Amino acid sequence: MITVNEAEPLRRLTDAGVSIWLDDLSRGRLTSGGLARLVASGRAVGVTTNPSIFQAAIGSGADYREQLADLAVRGVTRDEAVRMMTAADVRDAADVLRPVYDATGGQDGRVSIEVDPRLAHNTAATIAEAEQLAWLVDRPNTLIKIPATKAGLPAIAEVIGKGISVNVTLIFSLERYREVMDAYLTGLEKAKAAGLDLSLIRSVASFFVSRVDTEIDKRLEKIGTDEAKALKGKAAIANARLAYEAYEEVFAGDRWAALAAAGAHKQRPLWASTGVKDPAYPDTMYVDELVAPGVVNTMPEATLDAVADHGRIEGDTVTGRYDAARADLAAVGRLGISYDEVVRQLEDEGVTKFEAAWDDLLAAIATALNEGADAE
């Protein structure tokens, strides 16, 4: 439990313009009132989910037993069962967060739900799934998560163009991030042409952080020189800071100005994968070092508690540090580590990991449905 004194770093983070979201959701967190208490305290103002989170939550089975039994009696498929269970959790979480949504004019109080990760390379199927999820959850404070694959980019533009709010996920590279922002602007232009109210459309772009260090640090360790070791733990923060520079540039341009005049909102950068993987680093590093106005930081509960307890929040730690960030990535490149190769690998692995988690979840649900049917 976070006390008022312990939560002081969280207050400073919020005052610096960072929206704190929780990167976790389960039915137990909902039924116990844990999420409601966290939201009521004002320390978390949004929730993100992903296939791995739902695999961990639903795979345990206990909190979902009653619904699984009902679904088994109805003879639904495993895919439909997963969709209905995840949508139910997201709907309930959205209701918990609705007061925040109302109080912030729709900026926060958001809950994300991801399209089936097996559709990541299928544009048309992603669009159809996004529409289905938006209809199924049926809450205005929902964000539909779409991976930033090549096939995902036109899907993002199309879904935004239909007036559906989107959380773009699995962004690792600066080039892809610019493509994501372009897709968002294209979607807003489509929505404007269709006569939709742009003020009702929101989006965040989930830029992944810790996984960049995990991969590059492994390569630096293999090189093994003093110069290489001195660069460990620097690439991910540098990458994210340069993403924010790109964000500032795009949302200061003429194309954006025309949309803003029509009531559009900026697509906020969201720092994802902010739990520290290397115990040699401070456990709040990817929060302390990525403070900037207008961003979201979505944290697993352990990171949220660590920041509340001993986070070093000292104002903006992003803007004005772009030259140093470029220098850090350039130094990594001079050692023979290809940035393009790393970010391409991370995107591929990210999709694969979510697909594997989804497959595991489907297998567990199929077993539970069969057992439920046999019990009848």
Side-chain angles (χ1 to χ4, degrees):
M1 178 65 68
I2 299 170
T3 68
V4 174
N5 289 336
E6 288 173 332
E8 179 63 20
L10 297 180
R11 185 192 62 77
R12 291 200 300 272
L13 191 60
T14 299
D15 289 347
V18 178
S19 290
I20 302 167
W21 291 6
L22 177 69
D23 192 26
D24 190 43
L25 183 63
S26 67
R27 190 154 299 177
R29 190 182 287 278
L30 288 161
T31 57
S32 70
L35 178 62
R37 287 190 293 273
L38 195 63
V39 172
S41 73
R43 301 315 182 188
V45 294
V47 168
T48 50
T49 67
N50 62 48
S52 297
I53 285 172
F54 276 128
Q55 191 274 331
I58 299 176
S60 64
D63 294 320
Y64 298 86
R65 191 172 294 120
E66 183 176 348
Q67 188 179 12
L68 276 167
D70 290 342
L71 293 170
V73 170
R74 292 172 53 198
V76 303
T77 66
R78 63 178 191 170
D79 291 80
E80 192 61 21
V82 169
R83 184 181 285 113
M84 294 178 74
M85 287 190 290
T86 56
D89 283 359
V90 169
R91 188 183 307 114
D92 289 347
D95 289 343
V96 171
L97 281 153
R98 183 60 187 264
V100 178
Y101 170 85
D102 292 337
T104 61
Q107 175 166 274
D108 289 311
R110 296 278 177 174
V111 186
S112 299
I113 183 170
E114 190 152 349
V115 299
D116 185 331
R118 298 171 299 175
L119 307 178
H121 302 296
N122 186 325
T123 301
T126 294
I127 294 168
E129 177 81 354
E131 290 185 277
Q132 167 70 8
L133 288 174
W135 172 84
L136 187 60
V137 176
D138 192 27
R139 294 295 185 273
N141 49 332
T142 306
L143 293 171
I144 307 301
K145 290 183 79 173
I146 298 177
T149 58
K150 276 295 184 183
L153 294 172
I156 292 159
E158 191 66 24
V159 172
I160 289 289
K162 293 176 182 290
I164 298 172
S165 295
V166 172
N167 176 343
V168 184
T169 188
L170 289 177
I171 307 171
F172 295 94
S173 80
L174 297 170
E175 178 182 4
R176 182 56 54 84
Y177 179 42
R178 286 184 178 275
E179 292 174 333
V180 165
M181 289 188 285
D182 179 75
Y184 177 59
L185 297 184
T186 298
L188 288 175
E189 288 161 352
K190 287 176 178 282
K192 182 181 178 184
L196 300 182
D197 184 350
L198 301 191
S199 70
L200 300 180
I201 302 171
R202 296 282 185 162
S203 183
V204 294
S206 296
F207 199 86
F208 279 54
V209 184
S210 68
R211 295 187 194 182
V212 174
D213 271 343
T214 299
E215 181 57 34
I216 289 182
D217 282 1
K218 180 171 63 178
R219 300 182 184 211
L220 290 169
E221 188 65 34
K222 187 174 181 179
I223 293 170
T225 63
D226 289 344
E227 181 184 6
K229 291 179 179 179
L231 288 168
K232 289 179 64 177
K234 293 186 176 182
I237 291 170
N239 197 38
R241 285 173 174 168
L242 293 177
Y244 192 82
E245 181 187 39
Y247 158 77
E248 288 186 306
E249 177 186 323
V250 168
F251 289 100
D254 292 339
R255 186 183 179 193
W256 166 248
L259 291 165
H265 300 281
K266 294 178 181 179
Q267 181 187 56
R268 292 189 292 168
L270 180 151
W271 308 134
S273 184
T274 55
V276 174
K277 306 295 192 294
D278 189 333
Y281 301 149
D283 56 1
T284 62
M285 181 171 77
Y286 299 126
V287 179
D288 300 345
E289 299 297 329
L290 292 174
V291 178
V295 305
V296 179
N297 195 312
T298 187
M299 312 175 201
E301 189 168 23
T303 302
L304 181 62
D305 288 344
V307 174
D309 180 65
H310 53 265
R312 298 176 61 86
I313 310 303
E314 300 171 351
D316 188 337
T317 51
V318 174
T319 57
R321 304 191 185 195
Y322 306 136
D323 288 343
R326 268 186 285 275
D328 284 340
L329 289 186
V332 169
R334 285 195 298 272
L335 292 176
I337 297 173
S338 168
Y339 174 86
D340 290 340
E341 179 190 335
V342 167
V343 293
R344 184 170 55 250
Q345 175 183 322
L346 289 172
E347 179 184 306
D348 291 343
E349 287 178 351
V351 172
T352 299
K353 286 176 181 177
F354 281 171
E355 287 177 341
W358 203 250
D359 286 341
D360 288 345
L361 176 55
L362 288 171
I365 294 304
T367 299
L369 288 174
N370 289 333
E371 290 174 350
D374 290 344
E376 293 296 311

